[in-house]
Structures are given as structure tokens and as C-alpha cells.
């Protein structure tokens, strides 16, 4: 994988983790966040699990639904990038990668 691919993977995982942590911290269900952001609950679940890439529109909607600006949400994600980078940089097999992604998304 290219360095750019690694960076985008790390960023998406960090954003996913930040979204989940903020949502849980607010005591909001995925369904409620979906209602606030005008997105489907399963889409929220897929984002938090790292299975979906966010569009810019969805990023704005999610940030708003979480009571944040996009900038604030990205700052939360940036704070998680070091943790995610270390884990993604380690050589792992595909089954380990799937387990790692699940673990990161669950916190």
C-alpha cells in the first residue's frame, strides 16, 4: 500500500473512532445520531465500523449531529491518529486486520 493509502486509511479509522467516542459520550444511539444528521442508522454503524468512506456532505451532517463543527471533529480524529497509525503500521495478516479494525472502532 502506498504512503497516501496508509494515511487515508488511518485518517478514516481515526474519524470513525472519534465519531463513535463523541456519540457514546453524548449518550446518543446510532439511530438518534442518524436522525440528527439526516443519515440512516446503518450508515452510521458502517462509518463507526470503518466500512464506509465519508462524503464531505456526510461529514458536515455528522459533525452537526454531534454538536461540533467539522474542524472540531477533525481535531478529535487527529488526536486518535497516533494510536491508529501505530496499529496500522504493524505487519498483520488480513484476519488480524479485520480484528484490529473492529477493536479500534469499538474503542
Amino acid at each position: 500500500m502506498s504512503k497516501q493509502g496508509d494515511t487515508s486509511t488511518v485518517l478514516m479509522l481515526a474519524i470513525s473512532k472519534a465519531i463513535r467516542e463523541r456519540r457514546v459520550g453524548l449518550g446518543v444511539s446510532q439511530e438518534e445520531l442518524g436522525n440528527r444528521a439526516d443519515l440512516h442508522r446503518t450508515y452510521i454503524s458502517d462509518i463507526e465500523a470503518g466500512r464506509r468512506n465519508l462524503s464531505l456532505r456526510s461529514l458536515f451532517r455528522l459533525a452537526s449531529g454531534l454538536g461540533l463543527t467539522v474542524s472540531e471533529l477533525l481535531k478529535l480524529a487527529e488526536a486518535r491518529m497516533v494510536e491508529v497509525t501505530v496499529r496500522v503500521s504493524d505487519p498483520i495478516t488480513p484476519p488480524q486486520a479485520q480484528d484490529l479494525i473492529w477493536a479500534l472502532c469499538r474503542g
Side-chain angles (χ1 to χ4, degrees):
M1 184 181 292
S2 70
K3 183 172 175 65
Q4 184 175 5
D6 289 343
T7 302
S8 65
T9 299
V10 169
L11 179 58
M12 285 308 302
L13 288 173
I15 291 170
S16 297
K17 189 170 178 71
I19 290 168
R20 183 180 190 284
E21 287 177 359
R22 175 69 176 182
R23 178 185 61 76
V24 170
L26 292 172
V28 173
S29 68
Q30 290 177 342
E31 186 169 0
E32 176 60 26
L33 177 56
N35 289 338
R36 291 180 183 188
D38 195 27
L39 298 168
H40 198 275
R41 181 202 58 79
T42 58
Y43 185 66
I44 303 292
S45 175
D46 285 347
I47 289 167
E48 289 184 0
R51 292 187 298 259
R52 298 288 288 256
N53 287 323
L54 280 167
S55 68
L56 193 54
R57 177 179 293 168
S58 295
L59 185 64
F60 275 97
R61 288 178 175 181
L62 281 167
S64 177
L66 293 167
L68 300 170
T69 65
V70 171
S71 177
E72 291 168 330
L73 179 56
L74 292 176
K75 284 179 186 176
L76 290 174
E78 185 178 32
R80 278 123 191 106
M81 283 187 71
V82 172
E83 172 188 340
V84 173
T85 301
V86 170
R87 293 182 179 184
V88 171
S89 298
D90 295 338
I92 55 176
T93 64
Q96 290 172 319
Q98 185 177 11
D99 291 343
L100 175 61
I101 291 169
W102 278 108
L104 288 170
C105 292
R106 285 193 302 260

